[in-house]
Amino acid sequence: METINLLFSIDNNFFEQLKTTLFSIRVNTPHTFFRVFVLQKQKFDWDNAFRKFCATLNMRYEPLIIGSNGFKHAPISKRYPETIYYRLLAQDYLPEDVQKILYLDADILCINDISPLYALEIKHYLYAAASHSQLTNLTTVVNKVRLQNYEVEQYYNSGVLLINVARTRKQIKRRDIYRFIYKKRSTLLLPDQDILNSLYGSQIYPIPDQIYNFDARKSLTYEMLSNGTWDLNWIIKNTVFLHFCGKEKPWEENNKGKFTALYKHYAHLASRNSTTD
């Protein structure tokens, strides 16, 4: 049976959302064993419940406790908590036997098989990631000026990262990240993404966002860009990850986004699965 390593980085408030993401992965990627690594500052209140939930999905939960760390100079807010930086140092905490891992934000819904992405060969790159630059070309230009990385063609979203752990262990140094945060902290807008793109953007293998990091807010834009090809039917058949970027989230009571009903359906099934144990 194939084994896929998954990585998340969340605080104590994302229990239900993480369950929904994992349940959607299980439904759409059967016949696979998952190791679920979760970067966290300290042990969660729901640690035991989550361990049991994972077991019902044929997944093994493996917490990675960060503890006190050196992110004291990093900009932190309600929208951008300290946990967003942990993915950049995941290789320092993962077991030695992990050579590849797929990082996902917990506001992502899986609607097709993730195996093709995980099987992607990226041995000469640190990461594989998607850019949303075709949706916001002006933003890409602004980011190049702001971050002064003119040689990098794309500004990559950090919500879906296929990580070449063997390579990041050798190339990514904690001190480089800390030094960048300290030097640029007043200009960081999307902090973890700014670091990722500034320091490592030239070593990222591009993957199509319409398949692997579909911005759920922009469905009409995707449809226009594709001359009508990437419509709802296409998305259901081809898109792997719906990413609910931005402030408004589908689990909020009054959210009326295009994919909110689909998300809440998976959330309901995930909750029901956890209560039948």
Side-chain angles (χ1 to χ4, degrees):
M1 180 180 289
E2 180 188 20
T3 296
I4 290 179
N5 299 315
L6 297 176
L7 178 68
F8 298 89
S9 178
I10 61 172
D11 59 26
N12 211 34
N13 300 315
F14 264 74
F15 180 38
E16 296 301 326
Q17 291 85 349
L18 182 53
K19 287 197 305 180
T20 300
T21 299
L22 287 176
F23 186 84
S24 69
I25 290 172
R26 167 49 71 213
V27 169
N28 292 290
T29 311
H31 316 302
T32 301
F33 176 72
F34 291 93
R35 297 174 71 184
V36 180
F37 296 92
V38 183
L39 291 156
Q40 53 200 267
K41 190 166 189 175
Q42 56 197 15
K43 185 177 179 180
F44 292 131
D45 298 337
W46 39 265
D47 187 88
N48 290 334
F50 185 64
R51 194 178 303 275
K52 292 178 181 178
F53 174 79
C54 287
T56 67
L57 300 179
N58 193 26
M59 299 179 172
R60 186 169 72 228
Y61 167 49
E62 301 186 39
L64 301 173
I65 307 299
I66 300 293
S68 299
N69 63 78
F71 286 110
K72 61 183 179 181
H73 296 299
I76 294 170
S77 66
K78 182 177 181 180
R79 186 177 179 188
Y80 300 116
E82 186 179 299
T83 53
I84 66 173
Y85 300 100
Y86 294 168
R87 75 198 74 179
L88 301 172
L89 295 175
Q91 59 278 350
D92 292 352
Y93 299 95
L94 288 164
E96 284 297 320
D97 66 310
V98 175
Q99 300 296 302
K100 178 194 286 189
I101 200 164
L102 178 60
Y103 169 84
L104 298 172
D105 280 351
D107 58 355
I108 281 174
L109 190 69
C110 175
I111 60 172
N112 277 295
D113 193 341
I114 73 172
S115 298
L117 173 60
Y118 196 78
L120 190 65
E121 181 54 67
I122 58 166
K123 62 182 179 180
H124 299 302
Y125 295 87
L126 295 173
Y127 304 99
S131 169
H132 290 146
S133 60
Q134 63 177 339
L135 306 178
T136 53
N137 285 326
L138 177 61
T139 303
T140 299
V141 174
V142 171
N143 283 327
K144 285 186 177 185
V145 174
R146 181 171 62 86
L147 300 174
Q148 298 182 338
N149 58 342
Y150 301 100
E151 73 285 355
V152 178
E153 291 300 318
Q154 307 286 351
Y155 181 82
Y156 294 97
N157 183 276
S158 62
V160 177
L161 292 174
L162 183 62
I163 304 175
N164 183 348
V165 180
R167 199 170 184 89
T168 57
R169 283 194 179 106
K170 296 177 181 178
Q171 291 190 228
I172 295 182
K173 305 301 179 185
R174 186 181 293 252
R175 64 178 180 271
D176 294 337
I177 293 174
Y178 290 171
R179 189 181 297 123
F180 181 86
I181 292 173
Y182 184 77
K183 184 179 179 181
K184 300 284 189 178
R185 63 190 184 280
S186 63
T187 62
L188 299 179
L189 298 180
L190 301 171
D192 59 306
Q193 285 185 182
D194 286 351
I195 297 167
L196 178 76
N197 284 275
S198 295
L199 296 181
Y200 312 113
S202 63
Q203 300 179 74
I204 298 177
Y205 182 87
I207 55 177
D209 60 313
Q210 68 270 20
I211 297 177
Y212 294 118
N213 197 334
F214 188 100
D215 187 336
R217 301 169 298 180
K218 306 286 188 177
S219 60
L220 289 178
T221 306
Y222 280 111
E223 194 164 346
M224 290 172 58
L225 286 169
S226 65
N227 292 319
T229 298
W230 301 337
D231 60 8
L232 183 59
N233 290 326
W234 186 94
I235 293 166
I236 294 300
K237 292 177 182 177
N238 296 279
T239 295
V240 175
F241 294 127
L242 291 174
H243 191 178
F244 294 90
C245 308
K247 295 180 180 180
E248 295 184 2
K249 300 300 183 183
W251 54 83
E252 294 172 346
E253 185 174 348
N254 296 319
N255 187 282
K256 293 180 172 60
K258 185 172 185 176
F259 301 102
T260 295
L262 179 62
Y263 181 91
K264 290 189 174 182
H265 175 66
Y266 274 100
H268 167 69
L269 293 178
S271 179
R272 190 170 67 181
N273 186 76
S274 65
T275 58
T276 56
D277 180 42

